[in-house]
């Protein structure tokens, strides 16, 4: 594996522009509507005088800086107001703050109850939409009995390593397994909390409407069902997923999700309320009228996608097994050109990508997750300029 030399430059401070940092005041409104060996496959949007504008077909990626290195099993990333990053360690069960200005790290503390095993541990992070007043950080993590979501008070006035309060569980009972724990959480433009879950190695859970496994969930910050969800008194937003680890909203508020296929197709899906995305009845396209096809699909050797982000008119998708960053340019709800891969086999496994405002992204590697081949400096956070 090629390992580029690290530059001396550190990342400039950036303005956080992620769905998890603020709400637009429209709490309760339904988003998602307009008012882990062959080439990637995607339909291209037909050009017409009324078609939505599209970004450049090919795009570009420039690795501008290395913000931090020597991170252990980094997984979830949340952006604080002002731009600093909170990073979870899956296997250590800790949360670390990384300065967006100079990469300085501060250990906030450990999340009690985390039981790392296989693909489980401390996974996704999100910052409360009301962080300025409530100082709450949300975490998705694996325990001895389940996966759950809890919120913790972040008190910067306390000593390093003791800045996280006791977890207040907002949701429990998400199925856990050695594999397929999902784990990505994010606050949407509506101020609601979304979570991508896995079927924990039991495929039938994905079609079981009474199970939280193999779903995308939508809930209030307190973990309660949201008025307007597809089914009353349920936090299930969509079903038929295998293992969702990527969630992002585009500039028009549409929700996109990336998920692992089994042996054939990984998927990028446009999420509609109540949509059934087919697993385990179908993998990739071809599910017929009963299921929603993915917008784009990849051979599992080329992707195995985890985090995604939206920036400069495209979805950017981090690949683990594929060891590359995919760009999917959009014209509205459709790809405007074929997906293109960047950074192929340059930095190893790629876990998380986060929008950092304008043409900036943060990209987190995943070589120390027991499945990589870590080299000097792994794991690291890279600062990207994209178009």
């Amino acid at each position: 594996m090629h390992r580029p030399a690290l530059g001396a430059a550190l990342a400039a401070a950036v303005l956080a522009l992620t769905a998890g940092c603020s709400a637009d005041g429209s709490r309760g409104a339904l988003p998602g509507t307009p008012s882990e060996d062959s080439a990637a496959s995607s339909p291209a949007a037909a050009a017409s005088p009324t078609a939505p504008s599209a970004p450049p077909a090919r795009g570009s990626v420039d690795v501008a800086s290395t913000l931090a290195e020597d991170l252990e099993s980094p997984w979830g990333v949340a952006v604080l107001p002002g731009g600093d990053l909170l990073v979870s360690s899956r296997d250590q069960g800790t949360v670390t703050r990384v300065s967006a200005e100079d990469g300085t790290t501060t250990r906030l503390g450990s999340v009690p109850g985390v039981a790392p095993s296989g693909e489980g541990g401390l996974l996704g992070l999100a910052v409360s939409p009301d962080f300025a007043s409530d100082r709450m950080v949300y975490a998705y993590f694996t325990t001895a009995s389940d996966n759950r979501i809890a919120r913790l008070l972040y008190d910067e006035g306390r000593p390093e390593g003791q800045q996280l309060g006791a977890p207040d569980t907002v949701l429990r009972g998400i199925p856990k397994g050695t594999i397929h724990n999902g784990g990505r959480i994010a606050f949407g433009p509506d101020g609601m909390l979304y979570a991508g879950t896995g079927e924990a190695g039991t495929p039938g859970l994905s079609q079981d409407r009474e199970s939280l496994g193999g779903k995308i969930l939508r809930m209030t910050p307190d973990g309660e069902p949201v008025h307007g969800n597809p089914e009353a008194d349920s936090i299930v937003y969509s079903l038929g997923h295998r293992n969702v680890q990527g969630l992002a909203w585009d500039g028009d508020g549409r929700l996109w999700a990336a998920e692992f296929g089994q042996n054939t197709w990984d998927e990028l899906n446009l999420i509609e309320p109540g949509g059934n995305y087919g697993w385990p009845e179908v993998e990739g396209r071809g599910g017929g009228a009963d299921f929603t096809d993915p917008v784009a699909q990849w051979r599992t050797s080329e992707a195995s996608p985890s985090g995604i982000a939206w920036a400069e008119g495209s979805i950017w998708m981090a690949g683990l097994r594929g060891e590359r960053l995919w760009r999917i340019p959009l014209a509205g709800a459709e790809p405007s050109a074929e997906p293109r891969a960047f950074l192929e086999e340059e930095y190893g496994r790629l876990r998380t990508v986060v929008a950092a405002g304008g043409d900036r992204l943060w990209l987190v590697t995943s070589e120390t997750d027991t499945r990589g081949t870590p080299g000097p400096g792994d794991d690291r956070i890279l600062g990207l300029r994209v178009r």
Side-chain angles (χ1 to χ4, degrees):
M1 181 185 303
H2 172 61
R3 297 286 185 193
L6 298 177
L10 293 170
V14 296
L15 177 64
L17 184 61
T18 65
C21 292
S22 63
D24 65 0
S26 57
R27 292 178 181 267
L30 278 175
T33 62
S35 224
E36 210 162 237
D37 297 332
S38 62
S41 171
S42 171
S48 73
T50 59
S53 60
R58 292 184 58 79
S60 64
V61 173
D62 175 43
V63 180
S65 62
T66 298
L67 177 66
E69 45 186 358
D70 296 319
L71 302 173
E72 185 172 340
S73 61
W75 207 101
V77 176
V79 184
L80 291 168
D84 285 359
L85 307 179
L86 298 183
V87 183
S88 68
S89 169
R90 185 193 72 181
D91 297 337
Q92 291 184 318
T94 57
V95 179
T96 298
R97 180 169 180 162
V98 180
S99 168
E101 182 175 1
D102 61 14
T104 300
T105 61
T106 304
R107 183 68 58 85
L108 274 61
S110 300
V111 177
V114 174
S117 178
E119 295 176 1
L122 180 56
L123 303 175
L125 298 177
V127 172
S128 166
D130 300 318
F131 183 80
S133 58
D134 66 25
R135 312 298 292 180
M136 287 293 178
V137 175
Y138 286 70
Y140 183 118
F141 57 97
T142 311
T143 74
S145 59
D146 65 358
N147 285 296
R148 62 184 60 178
I149 301 171
R151 55 190 171 194
L152 305 93
L153 180 66
Y154 174 23
D155 185 352
E156 296 178 60
R158 295 181 60 83
E160 183 173 351
Q162 303 175 34
Q163 296 178 352
L164 291 177
D168 171 23
T169 301
V170 299
L171 180 68
R172 66 182 74 231
I174 303 169
K176 63 160 284 188
T178 304
I179 58 173
H180 304 175
N181 290 285
R184 198 68 62 179
I185 56 174
F187 281 95
D190 56 355
M192 298 297 108
L193 180 62
Y194 292 73
T197 74
E199 30 84 311
T202 304
L205 296 181
S206 297
Q207 293 295 327
D208 181 354
R209 295 177 181 272
E210 300 303 315
S211 172
L212 299 180
K215 309 294 191 297
I216 292 176
L217 310 176
R218 176 179 181 251
M219 68 201 83
T220 71
D222 296 323
E224 298 296 327
V226 182
H227 178 72
N229 271 2
E231 295 185 14
D233 301 322
S234 174
I235 61 173
V236 172
Y237 195 65
S238 63
L239 70 158
H241 300 288
R242 185 170 182 264
N243 191 23
V244 176
Q245 289 190 4
L247 297 173
W249 288 263
D250 64 23
D252 292 320
R254 288 176 286 255
L255 174 59
W256 299 82
E259 74 178 86
F260 294 83
Q262 183 174 34
N263 299 316
T264 309
W265 297 113
D266 293 325
E267 300 178 0
L268 177 69
N269 286 298
L270 176 60
I271 303 302
E272 298 291 346
N276 188 331
Y277 291 82
W279 181 255
E281 303 302 322
V282 63
E283 180 181 358
R285 298 195 185 106
D290 292 336
F291 304 115
T292 301
D293 279 350
V295 172
Q297 62 185 25
W298 294 261
R299 295 293 182 181
T300 55
S301 60
E302 295 187 322
S304 296
S306 189
I308 62 173
W310 181 84
E312 296 295 287
S314 297
I315 294 290
W316 301 85
M317 187 178 81
L320 290 165
R321 182 182 172 194
E323 298 188 359
R324 65 201 77 180
L325 179 68
W326 284 101
R327 173 186 184 263
I328 305 94
L330 300 176
E334 295 288 340
S336 58
E338 291 296 315
R340 184 184 178 197
F342 294 90
L343 309 180
E344 186 173 349
E345 297 183 349
E346 291 188 34
Y347 295 93
R349 293 161 59 83
L350 304 180
R351 171 67 68 181
T352 297
V353 58
V354 180
D359 64 351
R360 304 292 189 92
L361 295 174
W362 297 120
L363 180 64
V364 183
T365 68
S366 191
E367 285 291 284
T368 60
D369 67 348
T370 74
R371 295 184 178 179
T373 53
D378 284 325
D379 273 306
R380 63 196 77 195
I381 302 175
L382 306 172
L384 309 182
R385 287 184 180 273
V386 301
R387 67 184 293 272

